Amino acid sequence: MSTTTTSRRPPLWAVATIAGFFGLLFAYAVWTAVNYLVATLQAAGAAGLSLLSMGWVVWVLAIILPILLFAVAVALGRRRGLLTLTLFLLTALALVAVFWLDVVAYTTTVPIIG
């Protein structure tokens, strides 16, 4: 007797719905980082200053990290089930939130415009 086990993959519409919902939250994080970068550049320009290199690193990471973490979470969780996908995306979103709090704390305490 041969028993074959078939792995049930979640339906594509369900994966797309969950990824789309979390994608909006990740897009908001990216949009906020771009908004703050532009506002910081405008404030520095109005004062006749420029953004320091560490400031660029911080803001570029704040833009890239949500995109990267979303892609990794979807790639790892899309074939493992809907609950696992949701948990991966929730964990990635929590990491983005922690990093964003670090960015806000860093940019308000350390001079990034010089």
Side-chain angles (χ1 to χ4, degrees), residues 78-114:
R78 70 177 178 206
R79 294 189 178 151
R80 297 186 183 197
L82 298 178
L83 180 62
T84 306
L85 173 65
T86 304
L87 291 175
F88 277 149
L89 286 167
L90 192 61
T91 302
L93 190 61
L95 287 173
V96 168
V98 168
F99 184 75
W100 180 252
L101 288 174
D102 290 341
V103 167
V104 170
Y106 180 78
T107 56
T108 56
T109 59
V110 176
I112 59 170
I113 298 175

Side-chain angles (χ1 to χ4, degrees), residues 6-71:
T6 59
S7 114
R8 283 191 46 165
R9 292 173 53 184
L12 183 61
W13 67 267
V15 172
T17 301
I18 292 171
F21 173 73
F22 278 97
L24 290 173
L25 299 174
F26 281 93
Y28 179 73
V30 172
W31 181 261
T32 304
V34 170
N35 182 26
Y36 276 94
L37 172 63
V38 170
T40 303
L41 289 174
Q42 287 176 347
L49 303 171
S50 64
L51 199 60
L52 296 176
S53 60
M54 191 59 182
W56 277 106
V57 168
V58 167
W59 288 121
V60 168
L61 279 176
I63 294 169
I64 292 175
L65 190 69
I67 298 168
L68 180 68
L69 286 176
F70 177 77

